[in-house]
Amino acid sequence: MQAIVQTNDLCKYYGTGENMVKAADHINIAIEKGEFVAIAGKSGSGKSTLLHLLGGLDHPTGGTVRIGQTSIFSLKEAELAAFRRRKIGFIFQSYNLISSIDVLENILLPIGLDGKKADAAFLEDIIESLSLKDRTHSMPNTLSGGQQQRVAIARALAAKPDILLADEPTGNLDTKTGMEVMHLLKTSIRKYGQTLVMITHDEELAQMADRVLLIEDGRVVS
Amino acid sequence: MKKYILSMLAAGIILTALFDLFLLRECRQSYADAKYAIAAIAKTKETGPSAVRWLKEFPDASAQAFGKELLAFYGYDAKTPTIWDTQYKTTRNKILAASAAFGLLLLFVPLSVLLFYEKQRSKQLLALEQTLGRLQDADATEADVPIPVCDDRLYDRIHSLKEQLLGARGQMEQEQERTKALITDISHQLKTPVSALKTSLELLLEEPLTPEERLDFSRRCMRQVAGLENLTKALVNVSRMEKGMITLHVKPAGIQQTLRSSVSRLYVIAARKQIAIELSEDSLEEDLPVLHDAKWTEEVFVNLLENAIKYSGAHTTISIRTRRLVQNLRIDVTDEGAGIPKSEYHKIFQRFYRGAHAADTEGSGVGLYLARELIERQNGILYVHSRTDGKTGCVFSVQLPLA
């Protein structure tokens, strides 16, 4: 079975000499298609760095990341950007919504940019699941933090990417809403055969994953 | 495409031929007119003013008749070629040659276009054939099977065929991996109790024992057999689940009946341990219809309650509460047992995992794995968390989609 995400001696160092910090230290992991993997670890352990490298948002000091058949760091910058847009959905703690357009337009943005047509039923499903139905025409800055995070999640799901990379996706939500969002993420990946890599420091969320990778000092320890 | 080009070609040739016919007729007419006009001009010498006027005023027929007469007088009959007849022939030949050239061009251009397309087409077909051939190859991966450029509908068809085939193959491989892992797990699980049973039986058979010792070993054997029986049951369920032999019939129905059924199956066992089971509906909510398979969901709650009873002390309460969420209904099973360390949360749902503190309690380590699998197959989730009211114990929550 071929992994959909595979890293080979992935390294990311900051600083030099004695001040050198190894945020990623020869990481070799393989994630299968349809798998839900949680990356757990204390803050500063390098879990966010790993996620950024997997999504091609940051360049490694050494090593490779292969997604599907593509070694992503051998792509040109513009190709990498297009690759990210088509294959990867990002859900971050900071929502990165565009404040001048409404909620629905924010959700449709990545699909619209690629000239793809939105799957109307799926879109409705997401919007309803995330309780954004009454908010589709609100401007982002009129929403609460939790609502904004839900918009960001809807935006990531709407394009039905092969891989979802999430950094503490429910970090700003209360437990009840958080678990409902997790429910949606789990159902979505099961239904659409997506792969989810999620960073969390929360064991309650980590238990939802098929597998938990524990990161310490830039290394996968279990 | 081919049909279109061929019909265009035919239409072009017919039009050219018609145009030629028309041109030749006009040409012959004008030479004939000229032939007789000369006679007419000769006549004007006799009749006066102007040839043009004469030609206008007199009908052609009389000019022609006069011209014929005059030509006949000089010995030119209709069959003898005049200079005009010769000129007509030259012009006619030129027109025919030009038409033939034009016709050839008309033939050549579309035919070469047609040939070009034919060639492209056969190239495409060859590429498609190769693609399909590669797709048959058992080891083919996504990149090994590029789809050649072809028309959109064909591309879509082949693309979905490819996805389907590669997907099915991937699933098959996964399936095989899972079966292998399952067999390994099962053999590990069976080895220990079987060898313990064997040791006890050997002692019973071979060692000289007092009646008390004999009874003690017999009881031990009985316990081991009972444990094996439970394990086999669990393994059969896991195998059936893994092999897709469990079919879930998800229907919208109230969850209360399902919960009541599972409580009634365990009420006696709980009472024997002096544990109370409370089933309370969220007082604000009626029994909302939830999409679930009643039979297997009941098994899930039986499993959760069995666990709660197993790990709870006497004089404690296990409560079951439902709570309406936006899209789902949540059912919490809360106990007052020792609780589960957070670091074990993600491990307890793994197949054959048994917590460190669970070693002295009976169990196969597949119950929660099966329970989660059953719930997730109904588009629900199952997870554990600690109590929020400060008491010890844990809460197992099931979220199922509201109908």
Side-chain angles (χ1 to χ4, degrees), chain B residues 85-227:
Chain B
D85 290 323
T86 323
Q87 265 182 20
Y88 162 70
K89 272 178 191 153
T90 319
T91 314
R92 184 192 63 190
N93 290 345
K94 277 183 192 163
I95 289 176
L96 285 178
S99 296
F102 180 68
L104 276 178
L105 196 73
L106 209 64
L107 253 162
F108 178 73
V109 172
L111 270 184
S112 56
V113 170
L114 197 69
L115 275 176
F116 176 74
Y117 274 110
E118 276 294 313
K119 217 172 163 187
Q120 289 284 95
R121 198 81 173 165
S122 62
K123 245 192 221 166
Q124 273 182 10
L125 280 177
L126 192 69
L128 279 176
E129 194 204 318
Q130 280 171 349
T131 298
L132 293 176
R134 283 200 209 99
L135 209 52
Q136 264 188 329
D137 182 2
D139 302 323
T141 58
E142 179 76 25
D144 293 339
V145 194
I147 303 177
V149 182
C150 52
D151 80 68
D152 285 355
R153 281 220 305 264
L154 193 60
Y155 185 93
D156 285 349
R157 269 291 164 84
I158 294 178
H159 186 73
S160 62
L161 181 71
K162 173 181 161 184
E163 298 268 287
Q164 216 178 343
L165 261 174
L166 290 182
R169 199 169 291 154
Q171 267 179 350
M172 234 165 63
E173 279 168 27
Q174 253 179 340
E175 185 82 3
Q176 276 171 355
E177 288 296 314
R178 274 210 299 266
T179 308
K180 253 190 241 168
L182 183 67
I183 290 171
T184 314
D185 281 348
I186 290 178
S187 53
H188 272 134
Q189 293 293 310
L190 287 173
K191 254 181 210 161
T192 321
V194 167
S195 71
L197 184 62
K198 193 181 166 200
T199 313
S200 301
L201 284 172
E202 274 168 3
L203 284 169
L204 265 177
L205 286 174
E206 287 161 18
E207 300 292 319
L209 298 170
T210 63
E212 289 79 29
E213 283 173 329
R214 191 163 287 277
L215 190 66
D216 182 45
F217 274 114
S218 300
R219 283 202 182 114
R220 206 177 287 179
C221 285
M222 194 59 219
R223 270 207 307 277
Q224 279 155 349
V225 169

Side-chain angles (χ1 to χ4, degrees), chain B residues 69-82:
Chain B
E69 215 173 282
L70 196 71
L71 285 168
F73 177 75
Y74 288 105
Y76 292 107
D77 59 16
K79 279 172 189 149
T80 320
T82 60

Side-chain angles (χ1 to χ4, degrees), chain A residues 180 183 186 190 204 207, chain B residues 327-328 372 376 379 384:
Chain A
E180 202 156 33
H183 194 157
K186 274 211 89 147
R190 207 179 172 106
E204 268 183 31
Q207 66 169 306
Chain B
Q327 289 291 294
N328 307 290
R372 173 174 271 189
E376 287 189 357
N379 287 323
V384 65

